[in-house]
């Protein structure tokens, strides 16, 4: 089997969330990558939480000519080639997103060629994975947030994640000080805890939007509400800050969804910076690099879970590997996937059952993708 064509389709996908009869609209950018072969089989990968048109250009203009004619089954050879092509001095950034999408396309192709789902090729540890629902977005006010939390629990989800920090450091040119924002976050978390009762697990995610001081303030003030982990509490996952924060709060810390280099995870693990490492298959170099990171987590007896959404890709990693665990059922990202793919599994009672169909087990809807590709691109505005 030989690669005959490599192409990317950047998309800015419209999504809407309704609560209390009101509808909030937003968008998310993703980039799909297709790898076609001389056998007629095509693999499709994906990345997100980045500038979709940059990834489109990397794949179409830089990568494609380097992969034509190569054997797509040799994922280690191709991953290494992509690493040295796009990341020769360890600069990561957009490159790891592009490599992730290409690597997922190769694994989808491998599964189709071998007649096996990716999760089984990755090791087949289990055919079901527990999920947590990411439901609590900044565009909800406090009452809407509490109501949304209750509705997810009523749908069978016992694990819920909400955002905090609301891009705090990005808004320092606004007059609202960060301590006001933290005070409101404390009230929002309290409202959710009171709405769902003591049995539901609540996770919080600051998306790298706080400095150390405010992350510590928030952690200490919400400890009484029973937080199961605090994800990306500080800007750029600063390792010394994480180590210090972890020593001052009983809330477990999680990070890693946007890291491109495996060595960043090694550094977090060696420093004891986090309780949970979260490589994302769609961002952290695909299944190939994420399984190396999961191996390091195992050696350090540190939890490994999914952050950064895209459950339908990450479920294969967490189903495949023995130390796989929670998968993030991010409600906005799931809506995006439903626009683009057919045959996605639905969680039942907070559990996703992995597909038996070969490869990733779901299918791009080409007609709908062609329509969505006509929409204007996000120009940096379509990030989760
Ligand atoms: Mg996150």
């Amino acid at each position: 089997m030989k690669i005959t064509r490599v192409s990317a389709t950047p998309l800015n996908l419209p999504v809407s969330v309704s609560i209390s009869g009101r509808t909030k609209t937003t968008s998310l950018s993703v980039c799909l990558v297709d790898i076609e072969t001389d056998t007629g089989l095509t693999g499709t990968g994906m990345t997100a939480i980045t500038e979709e048109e940059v990834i489109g250009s990397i794949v179409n203009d830089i990568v494609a000519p380097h992969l034509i004619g190569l054997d797509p089954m040799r994922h280690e050879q191709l991953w290494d080639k992509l690493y040295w092509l796009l990341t020769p001095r360890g600069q990561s950034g957009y490159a790891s997103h592009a490599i992730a999408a290409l690597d997922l396309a190769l694994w989808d192709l491998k599964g189709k060629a071998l007649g096996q789902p990716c999760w089984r090729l990755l090791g087949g540890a289990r055919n079901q994975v527990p999920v947590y629902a990411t439901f609590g977005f900044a565009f909800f006010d406090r009452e809407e947030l509490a109501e949304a939390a209750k509705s997810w629990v009523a749908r069978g989800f016992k694990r819920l994640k909400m955002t905090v920090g609301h891009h705090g450091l990005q808004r320092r040119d606004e007059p609202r000080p960060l301590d006001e924002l933290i005070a409101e976050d404390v009230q929002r978390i309290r409202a959710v805890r009171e709405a769902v009762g003591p049995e539901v697990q609540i996770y919080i995610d600051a998306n790298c939007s706080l400095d150390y001081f405010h992350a510590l303030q928030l952690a200490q003030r919400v400890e009484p509400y029973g937080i199961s982990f605090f994800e990306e509490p500080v800007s750029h996952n600063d390792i010394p800050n994480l180590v210090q924060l972890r020593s001052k709060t009983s809330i477990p810390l999680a990070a890693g969804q946007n890291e491109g280099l495996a060595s960043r995870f090694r550094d977090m693990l060696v420093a004891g910076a986090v309780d949970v490492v979260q490589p994302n298959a769609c961002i952290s170099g695909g299944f190939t690099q994420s399984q190396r990171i999961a191996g390091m987590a195992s050696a350090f007896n540190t939890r490994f879970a999914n952050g950064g959404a895209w459950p339908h890709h990450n479920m294969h990693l967490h189903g495949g590997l023995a130390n796989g665990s929670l998968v993030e059922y991010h409600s906005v990202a799931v809506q995006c996937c439903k626009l683009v793919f057919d045959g996605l599994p639905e969680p039942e009672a907070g559990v996703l059952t992995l597909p038996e169909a070969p490869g990733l087990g779901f299918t791009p809807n080409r007609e709908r993708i062609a329509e969505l590709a006509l929409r204007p691109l996000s120009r940096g505005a379509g990030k989760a």
Side-chain angles (χ1 to χ4, degrees):
M1 184 159 54
K2 283 192 171 23
I3 295 172
T4 53
R5 186 162 184 265
V6 178
S7 60
T9 309
L11 298 169
N12 181 29
L13 301 171
V15 276
S16 59
V17 183
S18 294
I19 198 80
S20 315
R22 280 184 284 169
T23 300
K24 321 275 184 182
T25 56
T26 182
S27 72
L28 267 191
S29 61
V30 306
C31 188
L32 301 179
V33 170
D34 291 311
I35 298 182
E36 296 169 45
T37 64
D38 58 357
T39 61
L41 291 175
T42 297
T44 302
M46 196 198 82
T47 188
I49 321 185
T50 185
E51 279 68 43
E52 70 278 22
E53 55 194 317
V54 175
I55 306 302
S57 177
I58 292 173
V59 171
N60 291 328
D61 303 333
I62 313 289
V63 168
H66 290 266
L67 296 187
I68 306 299
L70 299 182
D71 177 354
M73 300 296 276
R74 298 173 65 180
H75 70 264
E76 281 282 339
Q77 183 202 37
L78 299 183
W79 198 96
D80 210 48
K81 188 179 261 301
L82 290 168
Y83 173 83
W84 289 106
L85 176 68
L86 300 175
T87 325
R89 304 202 181 184
Q91 58 267 60
S92 189
Y94 295 111
S96 74
H97 288 260
I99 294 173
L102 289 154
D103 184 74
L104 292 176
L106 291 172
W107 278 90
D108 186 33
L109 202 47
K110 190 192 294 287
K112 287 170 177 166
L114 297 174
Q116 293 288 332
C118 291
W119 64 272
R120 198 174 278 125
L121 295 179
L122 285 161
R126 61 191 69 76
N127 70 349
Q128 290 189 313
V129 289
V131 299
Y132 63 93
T134 296
F135 80 101
F137 302 106
F139 52 69
F140 289 138
D141 66 27
R142 211 187 293 173
E143 289 69 35
E144 291 169 338
L145 190 65
E147 198 175 322
K150 278 199 264 191
S151 77
W152 280 89
V153 173
R155 289 171 56 190
F157 291 87
K158 296 286 190 285
R159 300 184 178 89
L160 302 179
K161 191 166 86 184
M162 56 186 282
T163 62
V164 292
H166 302 175
H167 307 291
L169 293 177
Q170 287 177 42
R171 294 181 176 171
R172 278 187 291 197
D173 56 347
E174 294 175 13
R176 189 184 185 195
L178 283 178
D179 56 345
E180 278 182 24
L181 196 146
I182 294 302
E184 175 58 20
D185 275 334
V186 173
Q187 294 310 315
R188 288 164 69 85
I189 292 165
R190 184 179 60 81
V192 170
R193 174 54 79 203
E194 284 173 2
V196 300
E199 302 300 323
V200 171
Q201 309 253 332
I202 298 175
Y203 308 89
I204 58 174
D205 187 349
N207 295 308
C208 295
S209 68
L210 296 174
D211 55 26
Y212 170 76
F213 175 81
H214 291 94
L216 177 61
Q217 290 284 304
L218 181 60
Q220 290 181 334
R221 291 176 66 183
V222 301
E223 277 183 7
Y225 303 118
I227 305 301
S228 295
F229 65 61
F230 187 177
E231 181 172 319
E232 293 193 328
V234 293
S235 56
H236 45 87
N237 291 329
D238 181 284
I239 291 174
N241 278 178
L242 288 168
V243 171
Q244 207 178 343
L245 181 61
R246 191 165 173 245
S247 73
K248 295 199 170 163
T249 177
S250 61
I251 300 175
L253 303 185
Q257 66 173 65
N258 296 309
E259 299 290 346
L261 294 174
S263 60
R264 284 278 296 160
F265 290 89
R266 176 208 57 194
D267 292 348
M268 282 184 213
L269 289 162
V270 168
V274 290
D275 300 89
V276 188
V277 292
Q278 299 178 302
N280 189 301
C282 295
I283 299 169
S284 308
F287 292 148
T288 299
Q289 180 164 266
S290 294
Q291 65 177 337
R292 296 175 191 158
I293 296 161
M296 286 194 277
S298 170
F300 277 83
N301 274 327
T302 297
R303 278 187 286 162
F304 149 62
N306 169 211
W310 315 110
H312 309 103
H313 296 81
N314 283 282
M315 67 184 179
H316 287 278
L317 198 57
H318 290 273
L321 304 179
N323 62 332
S325 66
L326 291 174
V327 168
E328 180 177 13
Y329 199 76
H330 186 289
S331 60
V332 170
V334 166
Q335 271 196 53
C336 287
C337 284
K338 286 180 177 174
L339 289 173
V340 170
F341 300 114
D342 293 331
L344 296 169
E346 290 282 347
E348 278 177 41
V351 171
L352 264 176
T353 299
L354 288 138
E356 286 298 329
L360 292 168
F362 46 86
T363 318
N365 184 316
R366 300 290 173 190
E367 229 170 273
R368 223 173 303 130
I369 290 168
E371 277 169 34
L372 290 162
L374 299 174
R375 284 171 45 82
L377 294 176
S378 69
R379 302 284 160 164
K383 294 200 204 70

